[in-house]
Structure formats: C-alpha cells, structure tokens
C-alpha cells in the first residue's frame, strides 16, 4: 500500500484545472456605434513597427504609406505590429503596416488579429474589427474575412531601431537580409494584424456556441453534424484550384479543407467533442489539416474576446466572449504544422500493464528500451566529463547524481509491476532539485505513438532532427487514485492500450530549446528529401504563425526573450511574415501519424502557410531588390546609349569631315579623266626638324587634309599598319604563317566560294556581314556580341560569313575573325546536323587592305577570304596582293564601284574568285539608296567582259541590300523586288550587313530564305 499526502492530491487537482478561466457570458452589439470607433485616420508614430522588408513608400503624400507592386498569381502574407497604448491607433497602425507589405491591388482573403487584453477596462474591444475594416477601405483594399482573439502576449516582428518615427524615414532604414527581427511581447499592450493573400482558395468563417456541439456522434451522419455546428456550407465541394499550378484544379477541389480555430477558454470542455466530430465529418486527419489556439488574457480577471468579420454576412462584425470561431480554407493552400511539447523525459521506459479508458493503473520497466536509452545517453554525455573537473562543486554534484542514478537503476532492475504513482515518487528522488520541484506540482506522462516500435533513433531529439516526429505524446495527469496509485489523463484525450510504452516527463527550458531546434531541423530535412524524391518545386511558405502557450516565453527559456520566434525565422529562411500570440493551449496533431488533433496544454505550435501549387510568394524585399536592379539596369542602358550615341556622332562627324574635301568651300574631290578618284598616299615627312636638348622632334607646319572619305580612310589605315609593323616586323609574320601551315592543330583556310555556289543552286544567297558600325549611320545594334551573332547565323543556315575587322571606320578588330570562326565551329558541333558532314561557314575578312602585311595578319587570324577595294589600289598592288592571297590559300573578293574598276580587273590577268558590285560612293562613303549603281554595273558591258575572262568568278552585290525597296507599279514598295532585280541582272547573292541587323533573331533563318 502506498500513502499519498493531501498536498500531493491538491497539486494534482491544481494541475488538472490549469488554463481554465471562469467566464460569464457577455454580449456586445454586432455593429458598434460610430462613437466607439470612428475616428480620423492619423499618421504613423514611433509605436508601430513592420514585419517585412522596407515597403516602397512614397513621400509625395505627406508620409502616408503606398503599397507595393506585385503579380496577381502570387501568394502573400504580411504582419504589422504596434504597441501604441491607444487601442484604436494601435489597431490602425498595425493594419496599415501589414497593408504596406502587400502587393498593390491585392485582395486580402483572410485577416488575423490578436489584441493584448491589457487594453480591457480602458477601451471597448468592439472597436477592433471596425477599425481594421475602415483602415482597409481607406487604403482601397478589399478585406474579405477576418478572425482574431484577445491574447496574454503577442508574437511578431519589428524594426531593429525605433529612433525614426515617420514612414518616410522608415523607407531608408536598413533591414536584416537573413532573418526577420522578431519580438515577443509578454503581458504588454500591443496589436498584431496579419493579412493573407491566398489565390484560388475558398475561405469561410464560422462561429459556434457550446450548445451547438453534439456530444453523441453515434446517431449522426457527417452532413447532420456539419449542419448542427453551422458548417453546412462545406457539404458541397468548394471551388478551388488553378489551371496553371503544379497540381490540377480537380485535385485541389477534392482535397479536404484546412481549418484554423480560435476557441474561448470556456469552450474547452466541449472542444474534445468538437474535434471528434471534425474527425468524423472530414476524415482521419491525414486528408485535412486542423490547427488552432485557445484565446488568452494577461490576467485571469479579464474575459477572453473573439473577433470575426465576413464580407458575405452583413452582420458579421462581431466581438464575442463565448464559443469558438474558425475559418475553413480549401483550394490552393497548404498548412505545415509543427508542435514542440517542451517536456524532457526522465527515468526509464515502461510498459502499461493494466489500465482502462484514460486511466493507467500499473506499469513495468521495459528493460531493453531503457538499456538502449542509457547507452545513447552515455555516448552523448561522454564528452562533457572534462568540463566538470574544473569545478569541485560541480564534481560533487555529479557524484550525487551518479549515486541517485545507481539507486534508480537498482530499483528498476527488479522489473516488477508497480503503480504509476509509486514509480513516480521513487523516480522523483533521483532527479535534480528543479525537476523534483516540478514533479511535486505537476505530473506529466508520455504514451508512445509509434505502435510499439523503438526504431533506429530512441532519443527524442535525434528522432526530431531526422524528421521522424515525436515518439511520445505528453499528457498532464488530471487526477490520481488514492487507493491503487493509478493516474487518469484528461477525459477523452486518449484511450490507454495495454502494452503501450510510457515515460515520465518534466518541463525544462534547456531541453525545450534543443527540441525546437531539432523540430525545425527535421522539417528542413523532410522538405529537402521530399523535393528531391518528387522532383518538384520546394515548399515556399508565405508566412508563419507561432502559438506558444502562456507558460513558455522569456522565463521558461532562461531569460532569453523572443527565442522561439527568432528560431523559426532563422531556420525557415526568406519568411516574409511571422505573427501569433501566447495562448491557453494549442490544437494540432503532433504529426501525420496522429489520426485526430488534440489540445496540448503546454506546448508551442508553428504553422507554415503556403500553396499546394508552389506558386511564387510576394516579398517586399524581393520587390525592392528587383526595382533597384531594374533602375540600375535602366541607368546602365541609358549610359551605354549615351556613350554609343557620342561614339556614333564622333565617327559620323569624322566621316562627314572626310567627305567635305580639303577646303572650306566644299570643292569636289579631284578625279582622273576616266572619272576615278585621285588618291594621294599619306605624307610622312610633313614637318620641320626641331631639336630640344638631345631629342629631335618633327613639328608639323602645314598638315594635309584628305580630299575624299576614301583618302582619309586610307591615311588612317596606313597609320594603323605602321604601328603594327613597329611591334611585329613583316618577316616575322611570314615565318609564323609557314609554321602555322605546318601545325595540324591550327585552322586551315577553307574555300569561301564553294558553299556559295552550292547554295546558289537553291536560289539567291544572302551572306550575313558582321560589323559594329556604319560610318554614316552609327551603330547597327544596341549590343554587338560577335560570338552570339555568328552562332545565330550559323544555326540559321548561312552558307558563308563576312566579318568587318576594320577598326578605323567600322569598329572591328582582328580578334573578331578568330572569335567568329571559333563560334561557328562550336555551333556546328552542337547542331543536330553535325553528323551529316556540314562544316562551319567560311569567313571573308572585310577590311581596307593597303599592304601585304595585312594579308599575313588576316591569315593568322583565321580568315578564309579577303576583300580588295579596287578603287583604293593601283593595278600593280592588285596584282601583287592577289598573288600573295593565293599563296596563303585565301580567296579574293574584289569590291568595285565603277565600270573602270571592273575593266581593270578584266585586264589584270590574275585570279579573282568573286566580284562584288557596291552601292557605296567612295568619295563620301554614303550609299546610293536607289540601288541603281549596283544594277547598272551588273548590266554593263564591262561586267560582261569580266565574266568572259573570269567565268568561274562569283558575282555578288553589296550596300543596302534588304533595305532598298522598289515600287511594284501600284505605289507599294518591297525589298524583295530589288533582290529580284539583282538576281535578274546576274548576281548570285549579296553581302548584307545593315539589312540583316534589323531582323529579329528568331526570324534570321526566314530572312536568309525569303529572297528565294
């Protein structure tokens, strides 16, 4: 027989009555008078804080807040927190701060409000709901639903500093990028407002009284139960889903709704029946999520309040003190719930030998399970012994604890069945003073949830960190048997089964911290595994709701304020909202293994809110970052445009200056009797000698001016080549070319003419020319990426390419040839037709060639063919350059602008692989926009003579091809008519630069074929 003291039974009774507040029913008018709450909307003050990144405020309206831009398909949650001592101002400010963190134009589908009961006695709680509704209306926001309650403490986020008081100043306040700056206000004045944007989700609010909950479910159908509690709106499938998500509309529609409950403390006696009814009506808990928190107050003398607003019910502006309010959500919404019990296991593991219903009579030590736990504890605590040796008092204390453990182990080895209270009294003697003090007041027992399997991780912390959930569900003993030493758990909380494992527990802040961290670690691990296993988008929460019970907080966690909320913000990154309150108990399942939610009298609940379809989450921080990036990009683009315009203006001015001639009276350039420009080479010795010290300088006395654009172009080109020859002599280039030919790894010249002839069998050949600028018009493209353009033309099927590598007028370089050749080869290797023997398009180097030196440089750069401007070269130079090009195995393309030049080629007697008739005027470097120049040259007798002497030469055209349009006879002009005219005149194809630069990259392939 065991004897129990009266104080022990009194303590058990006290524990059983914990969290119950005797409250009388108080009614409030559904719609309060204007005198209660209609006050002018005032500007923000330093008592308010906001929860997310800095809203994009505007100062043009005197400091009022403006909300942020977002997309219609984003989900969003935002929390505002204010500790203003005036309830109306606090509610207004918290609401406005939450609104400031939502996307512009969003509809608030659901609002949550938690109000400190410290305001009771000074302000009527009926002002809360109307103030929130009016504030939303003033901000042109539609608020659809709202629920909330009074609170004994608040959980939210705030700014690190409260120095600045205006919203305009808040715009420039730095924020923490990693985690939210959380706050837990225990017992102080304050208001938390959380606003949710939940697209494609059907939401219904409800309120039920104690008398609405049936206590006998045996005779009721699910539909009858729903009607009894006022949930008949859930009998039919709720509309939900979206055609654009990762999951289908039908799937979301058939999913059971999720529920969030806020009962009053007086409703707790009917709460168990209500939860059983929810299980019967909506499934076993796996199909639907149910979570909630019991409303609370700072003082037991206050009455808890419930708040409700529903736009679909005109009279649903309610402030209540009885019953339970809640919300159902069906559609594209998902709640992930975690519960921290905050209880540390003590002693061994037992099995229930006798018991019935919710009463446990006799328990017996489970030796195997206990031994496994002891081995694990030895391994985890083995590294801590060295720290104890530094302090003699700690060593003595450790010795005492070891003695107690040995005593407990000796008793446990008997492994005989014992009444629960007998084992509890004996175990209590082996514990620390703090744990003993707790067990004298409260008795906690945990029943195993895993069906009797120990598993690979018997330790509770290890199981949680691995994402396996709690092993034991902790219950507080409601009463004890005087005669038999049995204990009874709260009625209806559990039905005890024989053989179930059981442990004793105590509340411990240090263990609770480890538990919280382990739960959050396990959540991250499970989400990561689920993402990889299903190959889907990760779950991204819109926000988090945190509900700790009143006995948790700063004191419980060893004086650390805001521990739980800060832990959630740290372990769940990128949260945009965090809010909640200190409650009288949480309602939730520990995990999916539980078939029914239960009330946890001392615990914390973390609810992550997200979407099933993994839709994007709106974030003010991201919106501001994107806005700043967009502004920076726009600024950079503007700077590039300005720089490009300045460069274009400079080059165009230089070209125009060259075209004006030598004198200011605009005299035309001198020409010979046959009409050709008279070209003078650069005057090298144009100054007098001047000696300064030991250095002799050449000072120009009368600088010569070019008489035409071509002459100026040639003089600049000669200067450029002179500089190159100073670095690398011609003899070195010749040697490099010989070694280049012998090296098998170096690219060999390709026939530039053959693919053009092959393509000409299919129609008119368009040869894309890559050049940065045009002297008279400026840059051809906003961004010139030669590798990207080459790949684009190669994939589009270009037979050959032309690369303008002149730096003086066209902004090119020798490197452009090398990069273009490499890019073309890479594009062919990646193309699907690479196996068909298709080679990369050969490259024509377009440059003003005046010296043999340039030909060798072009060969080393990778050119397959070169352009010779006939109007710039003497007959002797033409002959010399063609022979050098042939020796280097490069094709020669002669560019002509007159019949005289064609005749010179005919009489040259050297190999010319291709002739290109140009619309360019060499005196001004402008184009003949009518295209008549090229057409007349193609139809001339000189061209006929050239074809006769060079029957294998390819005839091409260049200059505004693709841009010049011809009238079709009806007033309409088309570019393809000019191409047809060129083809009829004898041209096989055309080199197109400016014309193809205006074509969209997706239409290049069509452009190359459009003139066939």
């Amino acid at each position: 027989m065991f004897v129990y003291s009266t104080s022990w039974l009194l303590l058990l009774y006290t524990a059983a009555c914990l969290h119950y507040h005797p409250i009388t029913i108080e009614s409030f008018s559904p719609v309060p008078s204007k005198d209660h709450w209609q006050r002018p909307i005032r500007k923000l003050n330093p008592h308010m804080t906001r929860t997310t990144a800095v809203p994009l405020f505007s100062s043009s309206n005197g400091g009022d807040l403006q909300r942020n831009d977002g997309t219609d398909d984003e989900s969003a949650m935002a929390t505002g927190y204010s500790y203003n001592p005036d309830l109306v101002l606090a509610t207004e400010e918290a609401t406005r701060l939450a609104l400031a963190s939502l996307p512009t134009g969003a509809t608030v589908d659901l609002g949550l409000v938690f109000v400190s009961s410290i305001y009771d006695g000074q302000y009527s709680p009926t002002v809360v709901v109307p103030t929130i509704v009016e504030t939303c209306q003033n901000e042109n926001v539609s608020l659809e639903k709202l629920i909330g309650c009074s609170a004994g403490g608040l959980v939210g986020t705030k700014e690190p500093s409260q120095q600045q008081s205006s919203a305009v100043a808040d715009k420039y306040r730095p924020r923490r990028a990693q985690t939210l700056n959380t706050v837990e206000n225990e017992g102080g004045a304050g208001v938390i407002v959380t606003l949710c944007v939940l697209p494609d989700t059907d939401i219904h609010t409800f309120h039920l009284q104690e008398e609405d909950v049936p206590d006998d479910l045996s005779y009721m159908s699910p539909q009858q139960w729903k009607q009894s509690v006022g949930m008949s709106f859930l009998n039919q499938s709720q509309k939900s889903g979206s055609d654009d998500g990762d999951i289908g509309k039908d799937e979301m529609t058939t999913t059971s709704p999720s529920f969030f409950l806020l009962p009053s403390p007086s409703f707790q006696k009917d709460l168990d029946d209500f939860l059983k009814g929810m299980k019967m009506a909506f499934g076993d808990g796996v199909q639907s999520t149910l979570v909630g928190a019991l409303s609370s107050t700072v003082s037991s003398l206050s009455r808890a309040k419930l708040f409700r607003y529903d736009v679909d019910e005109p009279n649903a502006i309610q402030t209540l003190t009885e019953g339970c309010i809640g919300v159902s959500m069906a559609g594209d919404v998902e709640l992930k719930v975690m519960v921290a019990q905050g209880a540390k296991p003590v002693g061994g593991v037992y099995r229930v030998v006798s018991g019935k219903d919710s009463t446990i009579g006799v328990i017996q030590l489970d030796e195997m399970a206990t031994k496994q736990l002891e081995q694990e504890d030895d391994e985890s605590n083995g590294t801590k012994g060295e720290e104890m040796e530094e302090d003699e008092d700690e060593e003595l204390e450790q010795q005492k604890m070891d003695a107690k453990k040995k005593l407990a182990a000796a008793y446990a080895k008997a492994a005989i069945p014992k009444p629960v209270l007998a084992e509890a009294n004996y175990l209590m003697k082996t514990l620390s003073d703090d744990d003993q003090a707790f067990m004298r007041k409260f008795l906690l027992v945990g029943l195993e949830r895993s069906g009797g399997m120990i598993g690979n991780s018997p330790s509770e912390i290890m199981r949680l960190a691995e994402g396996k959930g709690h092993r034991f569900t902790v219950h507080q003993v409601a009463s004890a048997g005087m005669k038999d030493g049995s204990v009874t758990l709260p009625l209806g909380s559990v039905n005890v089964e024989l053989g179930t494992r059981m442990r004793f527990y105590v509340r411990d802040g240090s263990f609770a911290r480890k538990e919280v961290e382990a739960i959050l670690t396990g959540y991250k691990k499970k989400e990561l595994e689920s993402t990889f296993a299903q190959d889907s988008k990760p779950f991204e929460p819109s926000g988090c709701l945190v509900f700790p019970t009143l006995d948790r907080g700063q004191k419980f966690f060893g004086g650390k304020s805001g521990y739980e909320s800060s832990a959630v913000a740290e372990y769940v990154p990128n949260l945009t909202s965090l809010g909640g309150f200190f409650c009288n108990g949480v309602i939730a399942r520990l995990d999916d293994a539980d078939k029914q939610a239960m009330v946890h009298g001392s615990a914390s609940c973390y609810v992550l809110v997200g979407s099933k379809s993994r839709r994007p989450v709106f974030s003010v921080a991201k919106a501001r970052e994107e806005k700043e990036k967009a502004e920076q990009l726009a600024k950079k683009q503007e700077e590039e445009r300005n720089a490009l315009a300045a460069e274009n203006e400079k080059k165009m001015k230089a070209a125009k200056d060259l075209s004006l001639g030598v004198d200011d009276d605009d005299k035309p350039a001198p020409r010979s009797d046959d009409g050709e420009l008279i070209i003078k080479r650069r005057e090298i010795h144009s100054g007098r000698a001047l000696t300064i010290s030991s250095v002799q300088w050449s000072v120009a006395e009368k600088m010569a001016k070019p008489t035409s654009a071509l002459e100026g172009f040639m003089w600049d080109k000669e200067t450029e080549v002179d500089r190159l020859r100073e670095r690398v002599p011609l003899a070195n280039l010749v040697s490099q070319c010989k070694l280049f030919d012998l090296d098998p790894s170096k690219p060999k010249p390709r026939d530039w003419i053959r693919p053009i002839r092959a393509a000409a069998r299919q129609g008119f050949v368009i040869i894309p020319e890559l050049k940065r600028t045009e002297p008279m018009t400026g840059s051809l493209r906003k961004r010139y990426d030669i590798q990207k353009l080459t790949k684009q033309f190669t994939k589009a099927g270009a037979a050959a390419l032309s690369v303008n590598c002149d730096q003086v007028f066209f902004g090119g370089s020798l490197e452009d040839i090398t990069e273009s050749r490499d890019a073309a080869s890479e594009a062919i290797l990646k193309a699907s037709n690479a196996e068909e023997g298709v080679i990369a398009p050969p490259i024509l180097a377009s440059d003003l060639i005046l010296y043999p030196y340039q030909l060798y440089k072009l060969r080393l750069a990778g050119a397959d063919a070169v352009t010779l401007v006939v109007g710039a070269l003497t007959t002797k130079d033409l002959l010399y350059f063609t022979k050098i090009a042939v020796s280097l195995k490069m094709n020669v393309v002669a560019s002509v602008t007159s019949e005289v030049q064609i005749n010179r080629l005919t009489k040259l007697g050297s190999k010319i692989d291709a002739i290109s008739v140009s619309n360019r005027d060499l005196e001004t470097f402008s184009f003949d926009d009518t295209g008549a120049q090229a057409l007349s040259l193609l139809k001339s007798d000189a061209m006929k003579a050239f074809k006769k002497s060079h029957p294998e030469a390819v005839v091409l055209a260049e200059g505004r091809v693709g841009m010049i349009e011809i009238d079709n006879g009806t007033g309409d002009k088309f570019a393809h008519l000019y191409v047809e005219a060129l083809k009829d005149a004898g041209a096989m194809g055309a080199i197109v630069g400016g014309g193809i630069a205006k074509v969209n990259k997706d239409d290049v392939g069509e452009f190359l074929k459009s003139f066939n």
Side-chain angles (χ1 to χ4, degrees), residues 147 204-208 259-262 308 324-328:
I147 63 171
H204 295 271
T205 65
F206 55 87
H207 170 243
L208 57 135
F259 295 91
F260 177 61
L261 307 177
L262 291 175
R308 176 176 176 246
C324 173
I325 60 172
V327 60
S328 69

Side-chain angles (χ1 to χ4, degrees), residues 785-801:
D785 188 337
I786 191 167
Q787 294 186 4
K788 185 176 180 180
L789 290 172
T790 300
K791 292 178 181 179
Q792 178 180 316
F793 294 144
T794 302
K795 293 178 181 178
L801 298 177

